[in-house]
Amino acid sequence: MRLPQARLDQVLDRFHEVEARMGSATDGAEIVRLSKEHAELKPVVDAVQGLARARAEMADLEAMTADPEMAAMAEEELRALTDRLPDLEREVALLLAPRDADENASAVLEVRAGTGGDEAALFAGDLFRMYSRYAASRGWRIELDSATEGDAGGYKEIIATVTGEGVFGRLKFESGVHRVQRVPTTESQGRIHTSAATVAVLPEVEDVEIEIHDKDIRIDTFRASGSGGQHVNTTDSAVRITHLPTGIMVTSSEKSQHVNRDKAMKNLRVRLYDMQRQAKDLARSDSRKSQVGSGDRSERIRTYNYPQGRVSDHRINLTLHSLPQIMEGDIDPLLNALIAEDQAARLADLEAEFG
């Protein structure tokens, strides 16, 4: 892709403008905003400047090929640079392509049992364990927000906050229906059952203003359930907040009612922000149909087939015969393929923009 010089100059001009304003700004909020934009622009500018140097070097090498004494060396270096240039241009193009504003955000991860009764709850537990192990491998922190255990183990519902750099960008394509095909431990005849769990990954964005009016929410307290004995909560400390205009309901069931109220309000803001995101995604999908970016959480996105040891992602027709490793948290092969597909779609958007 031959990137227009005017677009590259536009990025450089904006970067220099931000740097100049940072030097003179006195308002704290403006300094924070400019610093954030500077940090976002810096890798783009570095890549643009690297591409400019490569193009200038190519012009110099082409001129040197006219010198008999330098021609052989210049031609060799020119071939190497010609091979490298498309990668440099693709790197810049990806940085310029429209990208998710919440790419680097932490996220709220929700896993819920779907069809399949006890087996679905067990599968939901397996999925949460898979994501937990993946998070640990990347140095992310997981904080449990709420959980309802299944009667035979696993979870009917589990919600956690995953904190770290780029969490949402890595996990956002996990939202959807995950299906499992396996023989349940309670199945005496060895028959394969199909169960499902739904996953939702929501960006946790701290600096987004979501206005919530007191008249629009109802706050209830109740006694949190426990596992028995000393763990039973004997006070009404659990909090449920219902957002009346949308019907969104959030709960938190730690020991402190104050902590629960703060957590529930945070989760409510996350869900209201996610509703706004989904509305924007729906509007964008009218102009571009992305295989991996639809955000439709009712869509069946993946099947985990235990008898055959395979995992299939239906959005990109990818099948991997490494189910044990994937369930242990090695999900990068899946995520990398999904991200590559999304990058290809974004590059196509950019190419269409340039004509």
Side-chain angles (χ1 to χ4, degrees):
M1 181 188 299
R2 183 70 181 182
L3 299 167
Q5 188 60 44
R7 179 65 179 272
L8 304 182
D9 290 341
Q10 185 182 28
V11 173
L12 296 173
D13 291 345
R14 178 58 185 169
F15 182 73
H16 294 142
E17 179 186 349
V18 169
E19 280 196 322
R21 288 173 61 184
M22 284 176 67
S24 59
T26 56
D27 178 68
E30 184 183 12
I31 292 172
V32 170
R33 181 178 58 79
L34 290 171
S35 298
K36 183 178 179 181
E37 185 176 359
H38 184 274
E40 291 173 349
L41 284 172
K42 186 65 166 65
V44 188
V45 168
D46 289 345
V48 167
Q49 291 175 336
L51 177 60
R53 287 192 296 270
R55 286 177 172 174
E57 185 181 353
M58 180 171 282
D60 292 341
L61 289 170
E62 287 173 345
M64 289 170 61
T65 58
D67 184 341
E69 294 184 1
M70 305 290 290
M73 181 190 72
E75 287 173 358
E76 182 179 349
E77 292 185 11
L78 187 60
R79 280 194 297 272
L81 187 56
T82 301
D83 290 341
R84 192 162 60 91
L85 196 63
D87 290 336
L88 294 175
E89 291 181 334
R90 186 177 188 278
E91 179 187 357
V92 173
L94 275 174
L95 290 167
L96 289 176
R99 61 194 296 267
D100 197 319
D102 302 323
E103 199 81 11
N104 292 321
S106 296
V108 173
L109 171 67
E110 304 178 345
V111 185
R112 293 182 174 86
T115 56
D118 289 343
E119 174 63 13
L122 291 170
F123 179 51
D126 292 339
L127 287 177
F128 185 75
R129 178 177 178 272
M130 177 184 79
Y131 292 126
S132 297
R133 293 182 71 87
Y134 180 69
S137 74
R138 298 190 72 89
W140 296 339
R141 183 168 59 89
I142 290 191
E143 181 182 359
L144 191 64
D145 292 333
S146 66
T148 303
E149 296 180 1
D151 296 334
Y155 298 99
K156 293 179 180 177
E157 174 187 275
I158 184 164
I159 301 172
T161 299
V162 187
T163 305
E165 183 70 19
V167 174
F168 184 70
R170 293 297 295 175
L171 295 182
K172 63 181 179 179
F173 299 126
E174 291 301 289
S175 292
V177 178
H178 296 240
R179 185 178 68 166
V180 63
Q181 296 172 326
R182 62 185 179 188
V183 179
T185 54
T186 55
E187 171 57 58
S188 59
Q189 303 297 320
R191 292 173 296 190
I192 297 173
H193 286 225
T194 299
S195 304
T198 59
V199 173
V201 180
L202 293 67
E204 186 184 47
V205 185
E206 295 179 359
D207 57 354
V208 171
E209 290 295 326
I210 299 291
E211 192 172 12
I212 301 174
H213 300 288
D214 288 343
K215 65 181 178 63
D216 289 337
I217 61 174
R218 185 180 71 242
I219 301 177
D220 301 307
T221 58
F222 59 97
R223 187 166 299 175
S225 60
S227 54
Q230 62 180 333
H231 301 292
V232 172
N233 193 333
T234 58
T235 61
D236 292 340
S237 63
V239 171
R240 178 189 299 114
I241 298 179
T242 304
H243 188 249
L244 302 175
T246 62
I248 293 174
M249 185 183 298
V250 293
T251 61
S252 183
S253 52
E254 298 291 327
K255 292 182 179 179
S256 163
Q257 187 176 122
H258 177 73
V259 170
N260 286 333
R261 186 186 176 103
D262 288 345
K263 274 191 173 185
M265 285 299 293
K266 180 201 76 171
N267 287 337
L268 178 57
R269 286 189 175 90
V270 166
R271 281 153 183 74
L272 291 173
Y273 176 68
D274 187 60
M275 282 186 67
Q276 294 180 5
R277 278 181 52 86
Q278 288 191 63
K280 291 177 182 177
D281 288 345
L282 186 62
R284 280 198 298 265
S285 70
D286 291 338
S287 59
R288 173 172 72 85
K289 294 292 185 183
S290 171
Q291 284 179 286
V292 298
S294 69
D296 181 0
R297 288 173 196 150
S298 64
E299 176 190 4
R300 189 191 74 196
I301 63 169
R302 193 175 297 151
T303 296
Y304 303 73
N305 185 297
Y306 275 70
Q308 298 179 20
R310 60 175 168 82
V311 176
S312 299
D313 195 290
H314 308 296
R315 295 164 293 180
I316 54 175
N317 296 321
L318 173 67
T319 295
L320 300 175
H321 293 274
S322 54
L323 185 143
Q325 295 92 325
I326 287 170
M327 298 310 295
E328 288 297 316
D330 184 15
I331 59 175
D332 269 332
L334 287 165
L335 301 184
N336 290 340
L338 290 162
I339 290 169
E341 184 72 26
D342 182 61
Q343 287 178 344
R346 290 193 288 118
L347 285 175
D349 282 352
L350 193 66
E351 197 163 11
E353 178 188 338
F354 292 157

